[in-house]
Amino acid sequence: MEQPSQVGSLVCVGTGMMVGAHMSPLCQSHIEQADIVFVCVAEHYMEAWIMSLNVNAINLQPLYDEGKDRRHTYQQMCDAMLEQVKQGKKVVGAFYGHPGVFAKVPHQAIIEARELGFEAYMLPGISAEACLYADLNIDPGQFGCQHYEANQFLRYKRVIDTSGYLVLWQVGVAGDFSTAVFTSTKQQRSRLTEKLLQHYDASHTVIIYEAATLPIESFRASKVTLATLHEQEIHQHSTLVVPPQTPLVVDECYQ
Ligand SMILES: C[S@@+](CC[C@H](N)C(=O)[O-])C[C@H]1O[C@@H](n2cnc3c(N)ncnc32)[C@H](O)[C@@H]1O
């Protein structure tokens, strides 16, 4: 790795999904010792906890707004962190789950900070994916697992392997391409059902998954038939799991 040429640094850490339970000691110590912490977490108690670890913490979440293009919000978040790095500060960005999983800002901010000659890196956290494997008893090594962002899955032609798991992220905004709303409508989400029906039977069981974010909660795993997917209650924090429908096919060339 290239040696940093500037004073000031950026470390993006993961808080994990569950408040007070998932964060690594290394991530916590970075938060505690930072000159300034930028917090981007969905859960109010998580936010309060991080804020209690370092008095010099700023919540980035209010930068999101209904009707505002998320790409603009992401750039504002990067700029806010970079601004402090340029002032020579030890900056930490605390992002829920894993900071590098379906999260643009930490990746982008690290690239920009490195280009400017600052030290910048990421420390992992427990993501929704990690919780999903534990809660749903899924080993991605058993049949394989494809992960896509729901709108990317809709807009592009992908090669779907129905003998493995398919996991779709951000299904709560599926079918809305404005990148400016918090949730899409059932009608918009019906396009996701429609596309999945090109690969799977209407009666195939899919799982709407939500990891617990408080120790007193339990996770949600709603099993529904694919045909009714868009009629279900789907939130911003829902992830869709489509289990395999077809058996693995032997490749005779490699036996
Ligand atoms: C911007 S991504 C952030 C993911 C996060 N960085 C992680 O490591 O899990 C937001 C998406 O993550 C998933 N997600 C967030 N919270 C979740 C939860 N409590 N349970 C299941 N999936 C969740 C959903 O697919 C949601 O739309």
Side-chain angles (χ1 to χ4, degrees), residues 17 96-98 101-102 127-128 169-170 210-211 236-239:
M17 301 303 292
Y96 79 92
H98 186 307
V101 173
F102 289 83
S127 64
W169 296 66
Q170 305 196 154
E210 291 166 8
Q236 257 185 304
H237 59 286
S238 304
T239 297

Side-chain angles (χ1 to χ4, degrees), residues 75-113:
Q75 194 54 54
Q76 286 181 315
M77 291 178 173
C78 281
D79 292 348
M81 292 195 288
L82 262 290
E83 182 60 36
Q84 296 295 321
V85 176
K86 286 181 202 162
Q87 287 180 26
K89 296 199 180 140
K90 218 158 49 170
V91 178
V92 164
F95 295 83
Y96 79 92
H98 186 307
V101 173
F102 289 83
K104 283 202 172 69
V105 175
H107 284 294
Q108 186 57 34
I110 287 171
I111 290 169
E112 288 184 24

